[in-house]
Amino acid sequence: MSSTDAAQVATRDVTKAEELLKGMLGVVPDFPKKGIVFLDLFPLLRDPLAFETLITCFMHHLVTNTLHTSPNKKIDVVVGLDARGFLLGPIIALRLGAAFVPVRKAGKLPGECIKVEYEKEYGSDFFEMQKDAIKPGQTCIVVDDLIASGGSALGAGELIKKLGGKTLEYLFLIELTFLQGVKKLDAPTYSIVKQND
Protein backbone atom coordinates (compact mmCIF):
# COMPACT_ATOMS: atom_id res chain seq x y z
CA MET A 1 0.00 0.00 0.00
CA SER A 2 1.41 3.40 -0.97
CA SER A 3 1.56 6.28 1.50
CA THR A 4 -1.24 7.99 -0.49
CA ASP A 5 -3.43 4.89 -0.16
CA ALA A 6 -2.64 4.66 3.56
CA ALA A 7 -3.57 8.32 4.03
CA GLN A 8 -6.90 7.76 2.24
CA VAL A 9 -7.70 4.76 4.46
CA ALA A 10 -6.79 6.72 7.60
CA THR A 11 -8.96 9.67 6.49
CA ARG A 12 -11.90 7.34 5.74
CA ASP A 13 -11.51 5.67 9.16
CA VAL A 14 -11.35 9.05 10.93
CA THR A 15 -14.50 10.18 9.10
CA LYS A 16 -16.31 7.01 10.25
CA ALA A 17 -15.10 7.59 13.81
CA GLU A 18 -16.33 11.19 13.72
CA GLU A 19 -19.76 10.02 12.51
CA LEU A 20 -19.88 7.41 15.30
CA LEU A 21 -19.04 10.03 17.94
CA LYS A 22 -21.62 12.50 16.63
CA GLY A 23 -24.28 9.78 16.74
CA MET A 24 -23.47 8.94 20.35
CA LEU A 25 -23.70 12.49 21.71
CA GLY A 26 -26.67 13.06 23.99
CA VAL A 27 -29.20 15.60 22.71
CA VAL A 28 -30.92 17.56 25.48
CA PRO A 29 -33.53 20.12 24.36
CA ASP A 30 -34.08 23.33 26.32
CA PHE A 31 -30.84 23.08 28.33
CA PRO A 32 -29.44 25.18 29.96
CA LYS A 33 -32.35 27.40 28.88
CA LYS A 34 -35.38 27.20 26.64
CA GLY A 35 -34.61 27.14 22.93
CA ILE A 36 -31.09 25.69 23.27
CA VAL A 37 -30.36 22.13 22.16
CA PHE A 38 -27.46 20.90 24.30
CA LEU A 39 -25.06 18.27 22.94
CA ASP A 40 -23.88 16.13 25.87
CA LEU A 41 -20.50 14.38 25.72
CA PHE A 42 -21.10 12.25 28.84
CA PRO A 43 -22.67 9.32 26.93
CA LEU A 44 -19.33 8.99 25.07
CA LEU A 45 -17.44 8.80 28.36
CA ARG A 46 -19.69 6.00 29.61
CA ASP A 47 -18.66 3.83 26.65
CA PRO A 48 -14.96 2.89 26.84
CA LEU A 49 -14.70 2.22 23.10
CA ALA A 50 -16.32 5.55 22.21
CA PHE A 51 -14.07 7.36 24.70
CA GLU A 52 -10.99 5.71 23.18
CA THR A 53 -12.25 6.63 19.69
CA LEU A 54 -12.62 10.25 20.79
CA ILE A 55 -9.06 10.42 22.13
CA THR A 56 -7.76 8.58 19.03
CA CYS A 57 -9.40 11.16 16.73
CA PHE A 58 -7.66 13.97 18.60
CA MET A 59 -4.32 12.12 18.60
CA HIS A 60 -4.53 11.27 14.90
CA HIS A 61 -5.08 14.94 14.10
CA LEU A 62 -2.26 16.10 16.38
CA VAL A 63 0.28 13.59 15.05
CA THR A 64 -0.58 14.07 11.36
CA ASN A 65 -1.04 17.86 11.45
CA THR A 66 -0.26 19.92 14.55
CA LEU A 67 3.14 18.46 15.44
CA HIS A 68 4.44 19.46 12.00
CA THR A 69 3.67 23.13 12.75
CA SER A 70 5.49 23.13 16.09
CA PRO A 71 8.90 24.83 16.03
CA ASN A 72 10.34 22.08 18.25
CA LYS A 73 8.21 19.29 16.64
CA LYS A 74 6.47 18.60 19.93
CA ILE A 75 3.72 19.93 22.17
CA ASP A 76 5.00 20.96 25.58
CA VAL A 77 1.72 21.76 27.34
CA VAL A 78 -1.93 20.73 26.99
CA VAL A 79 -4.20 23.40 28.48
CA GLY A 80 -7.65 22.17 29.54
CA LEU A 81 -10.57 24.52 30.19
CA ASP A 82 -12.81 24.37 33.23
CA ALA A 83 -14.52 21.96 33.41
CA ARG A 84 -14.92 19.47 30.56
CA GLY A 85 -11.46 20.22 29.18
CA PHE A 86 -10.27 18.54 32.40
CA LEU A 87 -11.79 15.25 31.19
CA LEU A 88 -9.99 15.22 27.84
CA GLY A 89 -6.81 17.24 28.36
CA PRO A 90 -4.91 15.01 30.82
CA ILE A 91 -5.35 11.91 28.64
CA ILE A 92 -4.11 13.76 25.56
CA ALA A 93 -1.20 15.18 27.56
CA LEU A 94 -0.17 11.70 28.72
CA ARG A 95 -0.28 10.36 25.15
CA LEU A 96 1.88 13.27 23.96
CA GLY A 97 4.33 13.15 26.86
CA ALA A 98 3.30 16.75 27.63
CA ALA A 99 2.40 18.65 30.78
CA PHE A 100 -1.26 19.29 31.61
CA VAL A 101 -2.28 22.76 32.83
CA PRO A 102 -5.80 23.61 33.98
CA VAL A 103 -7.50 26.94 33.35
CA ARG A 104 -10.06 27.56 36.09
CA LYS A 105 -12.65 30.09 37.04
CA ALA A 106 -11.31 32.78 39.39
CA GLY A 107 -10.58 31.78 42.97
CA LYS A 108 -10.30 28.03 42.36
CA LEU A 109 -6.51 27.60 41.98
CA PRO A 110 -3.97 27.77 44.83
CA GLY A 111 -0.83 29.90 44.74
CA GLU A 112 -0.02 32.94 42.62
CA CYS A 113 -2.18 33.15 39.51
CA ILE A 114 -2.64 35.35 36.48
CA LYS A 115 -6.16 36.37 35.52
CA VAL A 116 -8.02 37.37 32.36
CA GLU A 117 -11.61 38.47 31.79
CA TYR A 118 -13.46 36.68 29.00
CA GLU A 119 -16.83 37.10 27.33
CA LYS A 120 -19.49 34.41 27.60
CA GLU A 121 -22.74 34.14 25.69
CA TYR A 122 -24.58 36.02 28.44
CA GLY A 123 -21.99 38.25 30.15
CA SER A 124 -18.39 37.97 31.28
CA ASP A 125 -16.32 35.96 33.75
CA PHE A 126 -12.70 35.48 34.79
CA PHE A 127 -10.25 32.66 34.09
CA GLU A 128 -7.04 32.01 35.99
CA MET A 129 -3.88 29.98 35.48
CA GLN A 130 -1.06 29.40 37.95
CA LYS A 131 1.77 31.83 37.25
CA ASP A 132 4.46 29.14 36.93
CA ALA A 133 2.35 26.74 34.80
CA ILE A 134 3.87 27.63 31.41
CA LYS A 135 7.44 28.69 30.70
CA PRO A 136 8.32 31.26 28.01
CA GLY A 137 8.63 29.64 24.59
CA GLN A 138 6.67 26.49 25.42
CA THR A 139 4.29 25.23 22.74
CA CYS A 140 0.68 24.68 23.82
CA ILE A 141 -2.64 23.34 22.64
CA VAL A 142 -5.97 24.24 24.22
CA VAL A 143 -8.61 21.53 24.70
CA ASP A 144 -12.29 21.87 25.53
CA ASP A 145 -15.48 19.99 24.78
CA LEU A 146 -17.23 22.77 22.86
CA ILE A 147 -16.68 26.12 21.19
CA ALA A 148 -19.67 28.42 20.93
CA SER A 149 -18.93 32.16 20.90
CA GLY A 150 -15.20 31.53 21.49
CA GLY A 151 -14.84 33.70 24.60
CA SER A 152 -13.48 31.06 26.98
CA ALA A 153 -10.98 29.66 24.45
CA LEU A 154 -9.84 33.21 23.65
CA GLY A 155 -9.34 33.81 27.40
CA ALA A 156 -7.17 30.70 27.67
CA GLY A 157 -5.11 31.86 24.70
CA GLU A 158 -4.54 35.22 26.39
CA LEU A 159 -3.32 33.48 29.57
CA ILE A 160 -0.86 31.41 27.53
CA LYS A 161 0.43 34.59 25.85
CA LYS A 162 0.82 36.38 29.20
CA LEU A 163 3.16 33.60 30.35
CA GLY A 164 5.15 33.66 27.10
CA GLY A 165 3.80 30.42 25.65
CA LYS A 166 2.78 29.84 22.03
CA THR A 167 -0.64 28.41 21.19
CA LEU A 168 -0.33 26.00 18.26
CA GLU A 169 -3.98 24.99 18.06
CA TYR A 170 -7.38 24.83 19.78
CA LEU A 171 -9.13 21.43 19.89
CA PHE A 172 -12.84 20.85 20.48
CA LEU A 173 -15.16 17.89 20.36
CA ILE A 174 -18.04 20.13 19.17
CA GLU A 175 -18.03 23.39 17.23
CA LEU A 176 -21.21 25.44 16.93
CA THR A 177 -20.28 26.80 13.51
CA PHE A 178 -23.17 29.27 13.25
CA LEU A 179 -21.71 31.28 16.16
CA GLN A 180 -18.34 31.62 14.38
CA GLY A 181 -16.35 31.54 17.62
CA VAL A 182 -13.26 30.16 15.87
CA LYS A 183 -12.82 33.50 14.08
CA LYS A 184 -11.84 35.13 17.40
CA LEU A 185 -8.94 32.78 18.07
CA ASP A 186 -5.25 33.42 17.42
CA ALA A 187 -4.38 29.92 16.16
CA PRO A 188 -5.94 27.20 13.99
CA THR A 189 -8.77 25.04 15.34
CA TYR A 190 -9.80 21.41 15.02
CA SER A 191 -13.32 20.22 15.82
CA ILE A 192 -14.53 16.64 15.51
CA VAL A 193 -18.26 17.46 15.30
CA LYS A 194 -19.47 20.58 13.52
CA GLN A 195 -23.01 21.58 14.47
CA ASN A 196 -24.63 24.07 12.07
CA ASP A 197 -27.75 24.98 14.06
Side-chain angles (χ1 to χ4, degrees):
M1 179 182 291
S2 72
S3 60
T4 303
D5 291 339
Q8 288 173 343
V9 169
T11 301
R12 190 170 54 243
D13 289 347
V14 168
T15 302
K16 284 182 182 176
E18 290 168 351
E19 289 169 5
L20 168 81
L21 294 173
K22 184 174 184 177
M24 290 187 70
L25 288 170
V27 179
V28 184
D30 298 323
F31 183 83
K33 61 184 251 178
K34 191 155 183 67
I36 294 176
V37 177
F38 185 81
L39 296 177
D40 183 12
L41 84 122
F42 290 128
L44 298 178
L45 305 188
R46 292 193 293 262
D47 183 315
L49 181 58
F51 198 177
E52 180 61 44
T53 301
L54 171 60
I55 299 302
T56 299
C57 282
F58 280 131
M59 291 304 301
H60 178 268
H61 172 78
L62 291 167
V63 169
T64 58
N65 294 284
T66 315
L67 286 172
H68 301 293
T69 67
S70 174
N72 57 6
K73 301 302 178 210
K74 67 178 189 155
I75 295 164
D76 298 310
V77 179
V78 175
V79 174
L81 303 191
D82 195 341
R84 292 180 188 95
F86 297 173
L87 302 172
L88 307 172
I91 298 167
I92 294 169
L94 281 171
R95 300 260 174 108
L96 290 169
F100 174 74
V101 171
V103 169
R104 298 213 62 191
K105 294 194 171 94
K108 300 290 186 180
L109 288 170
E112 194 174 353
C113 295
I114 58 168
K115 182 188 287 192
V116 69
E117 186 174 8
Y118 70 96
E119 294 299 317
K120 301 192 301 185
E121 289 81 6
Y122 312 106
S124 64
D125 208 340
F126 290 91
F127 263 163
E128 289 184 337
M129 181 185 284
Q130 290 173 317
K131 195 171 183 180
D132 59 353
I134 296 172
K135 295 172 181 57
Q138 285 191 309
T139 55
C140 308
I141 59 170
V142 176
V143 179
D144 203 6
D145 68 318
L146 177 130
I147 180 165
S149 66
S152 57
L154 179 63
E158 289 176 16
L159 289 170
I160 291 167
K161 256 190 241 176
K162 281 186 174 190
L163 293 180
K166 175 177 174 41
T167 303
L168 297 175
E169 192 167 34
Y170 295 84
L171 277 72
F172 307 99
L173 168 57
I174 304 161
E175 176 187 343
L176 302 181
T177 55
F178 60 96
L179 293 175
Q180 301 184 357
V182 298
K183 291 185 175 179
K184 295 180 181 175
L185 304 180
D186 61 347
T189 62
Y190 169 69
S191 306
I192 295 173
V193 174
K194 295 184 188 297
Q195 186 72 13
N196 298 318
D197 53 12

